[in-house]
Amino acid sequence: MSTPTQRLTLPALNRALLARQGLLDRLDLPTIEAVEAIGALQAQYWPALPVALWSRVRGFAAEDLYHTLERRELLLGILLRGTLHLVSAREHPDYATVVEESGANDWRRTKAELTPETARLRADLLAYMEAEPRSREEIAPFVEAFLAAHPGAMDAAEAEEQRSYQWRPFYRWSSLVRTSADGRWGAKTPEALLAAPRLPTPEPEAALAAVIRCHLRAFGPAAAEDVAGWIGLGTPRVRTALERLAPELVRFEDEDRRVLYDLPEAPRPDPEVPAPARFLPSFDSTLLAYTSKGRARARLVPDACREPIYARGNLRILPTFLVDGLVAGTWAVEVRRREATLTLTPCVPVARAARTALMEEGERLLRFSEPKAKAYQVVFGT
């Protein structure tokens, strides 16, 4: 007789997620190891990254992030689902290989055939981007010069389509990473581009297995469709890869009887463990790491908060705060006359004790994010 699969409740899945993300107890890890532990961080909004790490890593200072980026130990670039992510340099090749396999790196905008000349164009562009940081505006002239020197290297209709995009698919390549123009990182959004460090390219299946492990380590237990949605690959291929990894994984099921996979040694604490007040920035990875279908995201987001945290006008996931491990509202900071105000807007009722905890943690957040302010206050909106 087969052993029944253990069913994990939403509270159990919630605590597993919080423990891995440093949202139960902050992680006591160097910045690089912390980024690997909590998974590829969404980075569409640059100021979100220091807040994401401050909320999760004990003693974190923004300079810790900037110094690792200056040393290229962390890399910022277009990766999963064609969006900006922060990952470690040692894990970047796996992520980039999976992105290549997903088709997100396909620069074509027509049905033009790939030719040896177009492959050479990409190789030459990569060599050009290795020399020094380049702006996006420098890429178009480089491509145009290559095409002028190699007539017929690109289908005419494809070239015309690319010009209408200002050659955007070329600078949104996972082999390129963002950097600061002068090499010094800080609060300013990095816009310059540089070739990613050249490291051995892993085999596609090995890279997929590595990225699946990264996802489970950061967000597990998770279903095949959760991992597939996060990576940007089809669910059947991810499910096949998970089955290959089955001997080294453990299985559970959720309340909807979905099969969940996890790493055996990953934390799965008691669902009754208290969870402190925490603040998450815009586009936080925990809000996007599970399929949007069904109740998969309910381990962190109650139904009453699903709409309030999503700004449909600009497709933005708003900054949120957690009460007892669940999203309970959104937050925003305004600075006037050097007074920083954090406004909390609940989407569910918040008890008095939780409000006190949020105000205390909120003031710490303000002091971290607005160090030049002379006064701080936390208020509740409606």
Side-chain angles (χ1 to χ4, degrees):
M1 179 182 293
S2 61
T3 304
T5 302
Q6 181 183 352
R7 185 170 300 172
L8 297 178
T9 62
L10 280 174
L13 292 172
N14 170 268
R15 292 312 195 251
L17 171 63
L18 298 181
R20 296 161 204 227
Q21 290 290 313
L23 296 170
L24 278 183
D25 294 307
R26 281 182 165 91
L27 303 172
D28 191 7
L29 293 172
T31 304
I32 304 166
E33 293 177 26
V35 168
E36 291 180 343
I38 61 183
L41 272 74
Q42 297 272 149
Q44 295 98 313
Y45 182 57
W46 177 241
L49 286 176
V51 174
L53 290 164
W54 173 84
S55 288
R56 292 165 162 92
V57 182
R58 185 172 292 117
F60 175 78
E63 289 72 21
D64 299 336
L65 170 63
Y66 304 146
H67 291 161
T68 52
L69 285 161
E70 286 171 7
R71 295 191 297 267
R72 305 193 78 189
E73 295 166 332
L74 291 178
L75 300 176
L76 175 73
I78 299 292
L79 288 170
L80 305 173
R81 309 178 313 284
T83 56
L84 273 172
H85 284 80
L86 179 76
V87 301
S88 70
R90 55 195 172 208
E91 291 185 344
H92 186 273
D94 290 319
Y95 282 107
T97 298
V98 168
V99 171
E100 190 79 36
E101 285 290 297
S102 74
N105 263 349
D106 191 344
W107 54 270
R108 291 172 295 177
R109 290 297 176 265
T110 69
K111 295 181 180 180
E113 294 286 331
L114 289 172
T115 68
E117 286 297 327
T118 52
R120 180 181 170 186
L121 166 58
R122 298 238 291 184
D124 285 4
L125 176 61
L126 202 59
Y128 173 68
M129 301 299 290
E130 283 180 327
E132 61 183 73
R134 310 280 185 182
S135 69
R136 296 176 184 179
E137 291 73 23
E138 291 178 275
I139 291 178
F142 178 88
V143 177
E144 294 286 4
F146 180 94
L147 295 182
H150 302 83
M154 185 179 294
D155 178 81
E158 177 66 39
E160 198 57 37
E161 189 74 7
Q162 288 288 342
R163 290 186 182 101
S164 71
Y165 284 93
Q166 298 181 317
W167 302 98
R168 186 169 182 261
F170 281 81
Y171 65 73
R172 289 182 58 82
W173 185 15
S174 62
S175 292
L176 305 179
V177 294
R178 294 282 183 91
T179 189
S180 61
D182 61 4
R184 293 192 297 270
W185 290 76
K188 186 178 179 181
T189 303
E191 296 290 350
L193 295 162
L194 197 63
R198 293 212 184 191
L199 296 172
T201 302
E203 290 297 319
E205 293 308 321
L208 177 55
V211 171
I212 287 173
R213 292 188 195 97
C214 289
H215 186 276
L216 297 180
R217 180 181 64 205
F219 307 111
E225 55 266 33
D226 297 325
V227 182
W230 174 248
I231 292 175
L233 280 178
T235 300
R237 182 168 179 185
V238 172
R239 183 173 286 113
T240 298
L242 281 164
E243 289 301 325
R244 277 199 301 270
L245 290 170
E248 64 182 76
L249 302 178
V250 290
R251 290 192 189 206
F252 303 95
E253 67 176 29
D254 64 14
E255 293 175 352
D256 295 323
R257 297 185 180 276
R258 298 190 312 153
V259 176
L260 306 178
Y261 299 85
D262 205 6
L263 303 175
E265 70 281 5
R268 290 178 290 275
D270 189 303
E272 299 299 321
V273 170
R278 287 286 187 264
F279 287 85
L280 303 179
S282 296
F283 300 106
D284 194 82
S285 300
T286 54
L287 304 179
L288 297 166
Y290 309 97
T291 178
S292 60
K293 298 177 182 178
R295 299 194 304 157
R297 293 182 180 176
R299 72 177 71 187
L300 193 67
V301 185
D303 288 344
C305 294
R306 292 184 69 169
E307 288 299 319
I309 69 173
Y310 181 46
R312 293 187 179 276
N314 56 9
L315 304 179
R316 183 183 176 195
I317 304 294
L318 298 175
T320 59
F321 58 85
L322 307 182
V323 172
D324 193 28
L326 293 171
V327 169
T330 60
W331 60 271
V333 174
E334 184 178 40
V335 181
R336 287 187 177 180
R337 297 184 180 89
R338 302 191 73 180
E339 179 175 313
T341 301
L342 173 64
T343 301
L344 310 181
T345 305
C347 49
V348 293
V350 178
R352 180 175 297 179
R355 286 179 175 242
T356 300
L358 285 166
M359 293 181 74
E360 292 172 353
E361 181 74 356
E363 183 170 333
R364 288 190 286 269
L365 170 62
L366 279 177
R367 292 181 181 278
F368 168 79
S369 60
E370 302 296 338
K372 295 181 180 180
K374 292 297 184 182
Y376 303 92
Q377 67 169 336
V378 182
V379 299
F380 280 83
T382 58

